[in-house]
Amino acid sequence: MLKGLMFLCVLCSSVEQKIYVVLNETVPCVRLLNATHQIGCQSSISGDTGVLHVLETESDLDWILSSGPHPPYMVIMETAFFNRSVMMRMKNSSRVAGVAVIISKTGLADNFSPHTTCPNQNTGVYSESYGSDLANCNGTVWNPLGNGLSYEDFSFPVFALKDENQTQVLRKCYEDHNQRVNGSAPQYPLCAMQLFSHMHAVTDTVTCMRRTDLQNRFSINPEVLCDPLSDFNVWTSTRPLNNSAKGHAADESVVIAATRLDGRSFFWEQAPAAEGTVSGIVTLLATIQALYPVTQEAPPPRNIFFSFFQGEAFDYIGSSKMVYDMEKNDFVIDMNNVHSMLEIGQVGLRSGRSLWMHSDPVSRQNKSVDTEVSEEEGKLSLFSHPLPPSSFQRFLRARRIPGLVLADHNTSFTNRYYESMYDDAENLNVTYPPGLTPDEQLVYETDAAKSLAEVATLVARSLYLQAGGEEKNLNNITADPKIVNISVFLTASFYIGLGPRVHGPAHSVTRFVQYILANLTGTVTNLTESQCQNPSELSTENKDLFSYFWVSGPASVNGTREPFCVRASVRLSKAVSPAFELLEYGSRNYSTWTESRWKSIRARIFLVASRELEVMQPALVELTETKQKNISAKTEIMFIK
Amino acid sequence: MTVAVFFGCTFIAFGPAVALFVFTIARDPLRVIFLIAGAFFWLVSLLLSSLVWFITVQISNKNSATQQTGLLIFGVVLSVLLQEAFRYGYYRLLKKANEGLLALSQEDTMPISIRQLAYVSGLGFGFMSGAFSVVNILSDSLGPGTVGIHGDSQHYFISSAFMTLAIILLHMFWGVVFFESCERQRWWGLGAVVISHLVVSCVSFVNPHYQGSLIPTYIILSVMAAWAYLCAGGSLRNLKLCLTCKDKDFLLANHRPR
């Protein structure tokens, strides 16, 4: 017994270390709720335990679901089996304790999108009262490859195995103890896994918020059960707008250029969203970089307003909030200021040089709108299908403004991995020649970068013309592919998440885009740090028109940095669904998505022994007890001399 | 490894000792008091030996495996010697207390004999020693897993339970033999107790070859059991009478007031 302590540390529980191997990198699937449903995954409060079984072939599936003698099973699912039919069979079976999906490119199907076939169908512009023949994707199915797994409700935990070393540990444990020998069942002790991902919220947002309110009102130590998804939109404009003057801005006619800032996948905080989101962000940033100098030298009559909307995957959180603020006169501009809108959708996978422009056929029935749109399109032929899912739809719900959505697809998405973990650099065909260092990769011009730069140039020139600028300046507007350094974005996760975060009030991607914009559009000032943080004290600076950032500066040769103050008209605006401000948790008009809270999410593996061994031990005890009583009755005789 | 194993191992380890307590000690408050005091003495000895262990570990080289092994052996030997020293200390205390108790009581005879004290104090030592040996292991046995994923033996829990059972009973027998040897000034008896205690503790170093540690321990247990039985006044004849159920006739024939 004591010898076991020898190689282990003196202070920790060494018996526990003999039993459990804790898995460090856990990527869970969590529960999300909206006005009417709950989606995602849930474990029981003390974790779900099951005997490991690797799902590699069809016979493994039969073993797990019907013939295996040691249910419940914890399924280690190879990539090829992570599809709707298998997951639905697991969901309906009582012999599955949980699933751990191996995320890798080997065995990956040709397409995989866990999102629905018709994204955001209930909160877009098409409904019974507006374009009813186009509603619910009757006109065009945008994501036909979608299997809807992200929107199913699983009663067992589903984790992702991204770390190859960890997967190897699991496989080894399985091969050592659980492998079937010649078709016969494996013998105890068997390798098992326990997954913890107990979610506090149930049923739907209405229930969860009601219970949270009850807690806040009556409990000494209130426990919040769920949080609304929220973050910030990033916006900027070519002419600064007065941030303290809310409502209609006098003499301002604004062209909005927008894109989305978020993505999602089946698992929590995993959203590479390369084609879905990064392509749009990068294009819009390049557009701004191309357009900004010209708009300062030869300003067009209209203002150009650039906006990055957060939370669009979850029923248009960011754009619905901005529209709501505009209608309530709580934003720097209102709907009357908006002249037209151009949105950049998924533009990364253009085949050849084609780019599609989508417009809304219903609003184009209005002649003035139609004229504007035709001018925007430059007299290209139009198509009478509906708009793809886009933030522009939320603007249309409020006011019929002319607008276009740019995309690399005509009828349905070219993105075969829409809103999944596989929508990464490889999906965007971003490849670097071998042997480049990360710094070299940052400045290397990939083909994808060149393609996006072309789109950015087109967008920038169109925006300039749309804003009433002169044609002679168009040649100066060109996007530089080097600016489009995508690799930086391709390692980030674009999931919106919740309010206050560890490194500041906004999501890291939001902050990053904000700072890049400040870099592209801002001017360096010679303010000191305290002046930078309180610019209203100076008469030359205007806190209403600009925001001021204290930047640490580039690292010089000997490692020191010289910080400075940057002034830019870049701002963040809160992106939380109006349903939470109006306290209409069951709203049909606005997003009601919330994320459940949880205590601990972890996983561990260990061996389990057979039931017989467990039961045998108490039986031994019974024998000793009965003997005892007999003996004590005879003490008198035993110790008499 | 679930609740069944937890209860199983608990009852294996503590069953006989608790049964002894319930049937022979619980009725008499004086015995209970001396049992708890005995447990406390064992606890103090453990405290001292763990202090020494802690200090030596801190000043040692944590990376050297041989040094750590040596330190472990040293710790075990020191702990055994301290336990026996405290057993002797408790004996002296009890001798003094007995004189005081005799003066206080209204009867002529001692309310509790030194032999009963030996048994009770030994059992007290045993309880506390057993608790510290096995409670940590029992709490880990409640979880869903069993030992073995790193290649250790599966029989860890049950072996620990049987070892603890042996240790508790051994402490009881050692108490009886020790006190008897001290009364009769038979110092070789003391030495035998200390040496057998050292042997039982050091034989655990051959774990995880549990047969190598449990078998010698149980052999020593039987030897000590026989010796304690003889020290307490038993004999082979009495044992035969008891087991063949002729005891009632014998008692009637030789009735003596107690």
Side-chain angles (χ1 to χ4, degrees), chain A residues 111-132:
Chain A
N111 60 77
F112 179 75
S113 173
H115 211 77
T116 49
T117 50
C118 194
N120 294 342
Q121 69 190 74
N122 296 322
T123 41
V125 69
Y126 301 111
S127 62
E128 294 300 313
S129 52
Y130 185 105
S132 53

Side-chain angles (χ1 to χ4, degrees), chain A residues 12-13 17 109 186 199 218 231 259 263 316 382 579:
Chain A
C12 42
S13 170
Q17 287 183 337
M199 301 287 138
F218 296 118
D231 194 56
T259 189
Y316 307 118
L382 55 96

Side-chain angles (χ1 to χ4, degrees), chain A residues 214-292:
Chain A
L214 277 173
Q215 286 265 345
N216 282 335
R217 239 181 278 169
F218 296 118
S219 171
I220 297 173
N221 205 5
E223 204 171 293
V224 176
L225 299 173
C226 58
D227 301 288
L229 294 177
S230 73
D231 194 56
F232 293 88
N233 299 323
V234 185
W235 63 263
T236 183
S237 51
T238 49
R239 282 207 300 266
L241 293 164
N242 189 342
N243 199 32
S244 54
K246 308 281 185 190
H248 185 78
D251 300 323
E252 281 280 359
S253 177
V254 161
V255 176
I256 300 181
T259 189
R260 61 186 290 196
L261 197 50
D262 75 321
R264 69 162 305 197
S265 76
F266 186 79
F267 298 100
W268 182 62
E269 293 247 305
Q270 305 295 313
E275 151 73 344
T277 304
V278 173
S279 60
I281 296 176
V282 161
T283 307
L284 194 56
L285 286 174
T287 306
I288 295 170
Q289 177 264 331
L291 197 48
Y292 205 76

Side-chain angles (χ1 to χ4, degrees), chain A residues 98-118:
Chain A
V99 174
V101 182
I102 298 177
I103 303 289
S104 80
K105 291 294 170 91
T106 54
L108 179 59
D110 186 42
N111 60 77
F112 179 75
S113 173
H115 211 77
T116 49
T117 50
C118 194

